[in-house]
Amino acid sequence: MASEARRRAELRLPERDRMPRWVPRAIGLLMAAVVGLATAAWLIDKLRDLLVVLLVSLFLSFAMEPAVNWLARRGWKRGLGTAVVFLAFTVAVAGFVAAMASVLADQITKLIDAAPGYLADIERWADDQFSIQISTDDLRAQFTEGGSAASLLGDVAGNLVSVGSTVVNVAIQMLTVALFTFYLVADGPRLRRLVCSALAPARQAAVMRGWELAIDKTGGYIYSRTLLAMAAFLVHWAAFAIIGVPFPIPLAMWVGVLSQFVPVVGTYLAGLLPLLIALLDEPISALWVAVVVLAYQQIENYLLAPRVTAHTMNIHPAVAFGAVLVGAALLGSAGALLAVPAAATVQAFVSTYIKRHELIESELFETHEDEDGEDAADDTDNPVDTGEPQA
């Protein structure tokens, strides 16, 4: 009996040493996942430009859809309403580009003509103030007729208002964005029906909630930025005309558009061009331009922007700045432009699923901004933006 039990045990031993059945399956799934991830990374790298175009098109469709929906509710056909909105947007962009190109071309030409005089003034100033003899004859010769600098800057000035060969690629990309955007806006309801028809009702509600938030937040972003850009344009136009800065209308357009639609650094870039042009025309005017730009920025930050964004899109400046950095790191300039409305959409979507409670008593909750020591801006009275309209 003992030998029979030993023999059976020896027969069962190989079965215990055999690899479990789930191990080969797990190894196969792991290898498939690695291959799938590598393939996805390769496709994303190869299709990066197309993905950026699709993201920009989606952003533009979110921005234009509120206007198209407004026209559709008043009896317009959706395709015609989309075409009208597209035409208005194209005319506005083309007018801005043409105005700025003419300003830059004219100012570069004036810089070429005035450069020898500026160099002579620098030479005299160094001699009078510090008794330093500086010879700028060779440099001045570069800006005279036939000089290499004059020729180079003249070519640049001419190319600002002409169509170069490199513009063809940009035009193709813009046409691609326009086609995708037109489709996403004109066939928006049909596209949403197609997407949601493949989902369960509960998931359809979540998708449509996110889609609605994206349209509301992106449209609110464009609406608020446009209002602030118009205000900046009007104020700077009047100020530049009073100061006597050349080309007050195009420069006011530059300040209005750049300061509102370029995240984070747009305000500083916007003031550089009118400051430089005023400095070339009349140095004392540059001082007044700087005063106007800085003063208006304070008025906008503390009076205009809070009132406008309170009804459109509310996002903390630190969150906006961080979103711009992340967007620029992922997608470059396109990501920086898309970052703020994307962050506002995510913030509003996440906030709808966060349950908020009453705050306990703590000194760390108080800002101590009032003279009496009371909190001047209690967060419980100003809840985080959830995407829902406030009463």
Side-chain angles (χ1 to χ4, degrees):
M1 293 292 294
S3 60
E4 182 67 19
R6 190 181 304 109
R7 187 177 64 84
R8 290 179 180 177
E10 291 175 354
L11 290 175
R12 286 196 299 269
L13 185 60
E15 293 182 1
R16 290 198 303 269
D17 292 341
R18 191 176 300 168
M19 182 183 298
R21 294 180 179 179
W22 61 268
V23 173
R25 187 180 306 169
I27 294 175
L29 290 175
L30 179 61
M31 293 179 64
V34 171
V35 172
L37 289 175
T39 303
W42 178 79
L43 287 175
I44 291 173
D45 181 65
K46 294 298 181 182
L47 300 177
R48 178 184 175 87
D49 293 339
L50 177 61
L51 293 176
V52 171
V53 167
L54 289 175
L55 283 175
V56 173
S57 301
L58 189 64
F59 166 77
L60 291 176
S61 70
F62 289 156
M64 293 181 180
E65 188 147 354
V68 175
N69 290 340
W70 185 84
L71 293 175
R73 286 193 295 269
R74 281 152 181 79
W76 288 56
K77 291 185 177 180
R78 195 167 183 87
L80 179 60
T82 304
V84 170
V85 173
F86 256 87
L87 181 62
F89 177 76
T90 303
V91 169
V93 172
F96 174 74
V97 172
M100 295 315 304
S102 63
V103 170
L104 293 178
D106 183 83
Q107 290 303 312
I108 288 176
T109 303
K110 286 186 176 181
L111 176 61
I112 297 170
D113 297 335
Y118 290 146
L119 293 173
D121 292 341
I122 292 173
E123 203 176 300
R124 286 193 297 269
W125 180 80
D127 188 18
D128 294 340
Q129 298 295 326
F130 305 103
S131 300
I132 299 175
Q133 300 295 326
I134 300 177
S135 178
T136 59
D137 294 340
D138 293 338
L139 188 57
R140 273 183 287 176
Q142 302 299 319
F143 287 92
T144 58
E145 186 176 354
S148 59
S151 176
L152 176 62
L153 292 177
D155 292 340
V156 171
N159 288 333
L160 287 173
V161 292
S162 65
V163 179
S165 59
T166 56
V167 177
V168 175
N169 293 331
V170 177
I172 293 175
Q173 288 187 350
M174 292 178 63
L175 180 60
T176 305
V177 169
L179 289 175
F180 278 119
T181 305
F182 188 90
Y183 167 72
L184 290 172
V185 177
D187 286 343
R190 186 184 306 173
L191 177 63
R192 287 187 282 273
R193 288 197 298 268
L194 180 64
V195 171
C196 290
S197 63
L199 303 173
R203 301 205 172 207
Q204 290 181 25
V207 169
M208 294 309 299
R209 175 61 176 162
W211 210 311
E212 183 180 358
L213 280 175
I215 292 174
D216 290 343
K217 291 302 176 182
T218 306
Y221 174 74
I222 298 297
Y223 173 70
S224 62
R225 295 295 101 184
T226 301
L227 286 180
L228 293 174
M230 286 296 298
F233 164 71
L234 294 174
V235 171
H236 288 88
W237 176 19
F240 292 163
I242 293 172
I243 295 172
V245 179
F247 308 102
I249 294 179
L251 289 179
M253 290 173 56
W254 169 267
V255 173
V257 172
L258 208 68
S259 63
Q260 303 304 324
F261 289 99
V262 175
V264 183
V265 297
T267 300
Y268 308 102
L269 294 177
L272 286 179
L273 182 61
L275 189 66
L276 177 61
I277 291 177
L279 186 63
L280 294 175
D281 182 71
E282 187 68 36
I284 190 62
S285 299
L287 177 62
W288 290 112
V289 168
V291 170
V292 168
V293 171
L294 293 176
Y296 178 78
Q297 192 59 45
Q298 302 307 311
I299 294 173
E300 179 185 285
N301 289 341
Y302 292 101
L303 294 179
L304 299 180
R307 286 167 171 77
V308 172
T309 57
H311 299 285
T312 54
M313 186 183 72
N314 184 23
I315 184 169
H316 195 278
V319 176
F321 181 71
V324 169
L325 293 180
V326 173
L330 293 177
L331 298 175
S333 58
L337 291 173
L338 303 179
V340 176
T345 302
V346 172
Q347 173 183 283
F349 189 75
V350 171
S351 297
T352 58
Y353 295 96
I354 295 178
K355 182 180 179 181
R356 300 196 176 273
H357 305 273
E358 276 190 40
L359 299 177
I360 63 173
E361 294 291 334
S362 175
E363 286 284 331
L364 298 179
F365 290 146
E366 299 184 6
T367 59
H368 302 288
E369 292 181 356
D370 286 350
E371 292 181 359
D372 297 335
E374 297 180 356
D375 188 0
D378 190 354
D379 287 341
T380 59
D381 296 332
N382 297 286
V384 176
D385 183 11
T386 62
E388 298 289 344
Q390 301 294 327

